Amino acid sequence: MHGVDVNACGTMPLNHVYPNEAAGGRLFVDLAALAANFRLIAGRVAPARAAAVVKADAYGLGAAAVVPALYKAGCRDFFVAHLSEAQVLTPQLPSDATIYVLNGIMPGGEEGCANGGVVPVINSVEQATAWRAVAEGRQRPLAAVLQVDSGMSRLGVSAEDAARLAQDQAFRRYIPLVMVMSHLACAETQRHAANARQRSTFEALANLFPGVPRSLANSGAAFLPAEFHGEVVRIGIALYGGAPTDSQANPMRPVVRLEARVIQVRSIPAGTSVGYGFTFTADRQSRIATVAVGYADGWLRSSSNRGSAWFSGVRLPILGRVSMDCMTVDVTRVPDGALNAGDWVELIGPSQSIDDVAADAGTIAYEVLVRLGDRFHRVHLSSQD
Ligand SMILES: *Cc1c(COP(=O)(O)O)cnc(C)c1O
């Protein structure tokens, strides 16, 4: 059974908990589904270890609740993008958990990283040199992950620099590598030829560091053959219910439900225009509802005249432009009197997934999630265990 449990994260304060009546939208995050998704992936990639990617406030879902739930599900490795994100998480995690910073250390951030016991991902020779200098200064080894560029040209050292670092005795002595990693550009497309190419480039570079655990896979690559998994897989979107691949039915449980409150319902005659710019004009007598979620809440403006809300299984097309704080939907097909001011319509849920919403807005589920605003009444649901 699922129940509302605002204490799901122990002593951690839950941000953004407003009374329902005060908010234009309410966002439910199902922590039991999140934990089930973690266990599904962990079982799938075993004996490789599943690590959780919790950057950007756990893809917008609230790291303060998501991270303890994942820890409870058995996760011990957490990846964020910035040191600032790691600093927020460190006091919330027991000492047997490790936090890694994907972007590595910015100049000047080395001491803070070392003091917090955070493990940086070294992406460049500059980062390697700066991290080694801190270790030398303290006369003690400081762990790191080394990222190598296997073809994406985004982060990670080149093949030449990887070879040089492998031979650099001082670097190897002061910087014990806990992982060598890279990232795939096309992992969600299982048949993409780039996956095998990147894997063989990665393996050649990882061979320079014998015995160091390897990590190449994200959510998409967790569904590629085991050769892609190495010792650690880094799972983001699949934990949060997004489709990990573009070719298979989504095996993950949905984690997010988002509902918007109806402000008012009105009837308009044929020929009436709706919203900014009059980009929609009714061709028939219509009933429309204005709902209290807009682009300031992360409901993307690009879903104007394209996206939908849902009510009792009825699709409610968005009419005209999405405004900052509200938008207008067509409720003509809902029986008269069934939908009224104060009712809630579904924006994300059983009727439309985060991937559906993303498709309507011309983006990806990742962006839909990370943009979810901080004005919602947020509820974290967990199983009563
Ligand atoms: C964000 C990120 C991930 C997680 O990717 P998903 O597709 O969300 O699973 C893994 N590795 C790196 C380097 C990332 O930046």
Side-chain angles (χ1 to χ4, degrees), residues 53 55 59 102 154 181 183 218-219 234-237 366:
V53 181
K55 61 199 182 190
Y59 287 40
L102 287 166
R154 186 178 73 165
M181 67 167 268
H183 194 46
N218 67 342
S219 297
R234 308 180 307 269
I235 306 302
I237 194 71
Y366 302 69

Side-chain angles (χ1 to χ4, degrees), residues 91-129:
Q92 304 179 1
L93 275 168
S95 59
D96 64 343
T98 307
I99 304 173
Y100 309 86
V101 178
L102 287 166
N103 283 357
I105 329 155
M106 299 297 161
E110 296 84 3
E111 297 290 339
C113 196
N115 293 342
V118 170
V119 177
V121 175
I122 290 173
N123 290 302
S124 66
V125 173
E126 290 87 341
Q127 289 187 350
T129 306

Side-chain angles (χ1 to χ4, degrees), residues 11-34:
T11 56
M12 238 72 66
L14 274 178
N15 45 352
H16 317 312
V17 177
Y18 303 136
N20 255 338
E21 307 74 45
R26 57 186 184 191
L27 178 70
F28 300 93
V29 178
D30 185 345
L31 297 175
L34 172 89

Side-chain angles (χ1 to χ4, degrees), residues 259-349:
E259 297 172 347
R261 202 132 201 232
V262 175
I263 307 170
Q264 61 176 209
V265 180
R266 73 174 76 234
S267 288
I268 56 170
T272 307
S273 295
V274 177
Y276 283 118
F278 286 162
T279 61
F280 173 83
T281 300
D283 58 9
R284 54 166 162 74
Q285 153 96 22
S286 304
R287 243 174 329 108
I288 65 175
T290 305
V291 304
V293 165
Y295 63 78
D297 302 297
W299 194 258
L300 293 165
R301 191 168 171 273
S302 52
S303 61
S304 298
N305 285 312
R306 295 180 56 181
S308 328
W310 290 78
F311 183 75
S312 293
V314 179
R315 182 171 170 263
L316 314 177
I318 294 172
L319 303 180
R321 291 220 176 114
V322 175
S323 296
M324 184 184 290
D325 312 299
C326 61
M327 61 183 169
T328 309
V329 297
D330 186 351
V331 302
T332 310
R333 291 182 50 224
V334 176
D336 211 355
L339 181 68
N340 301 292
D343 289 342
W344 298 88
V345 297
E346 175 193 326
L347 293 179
I348 297 170

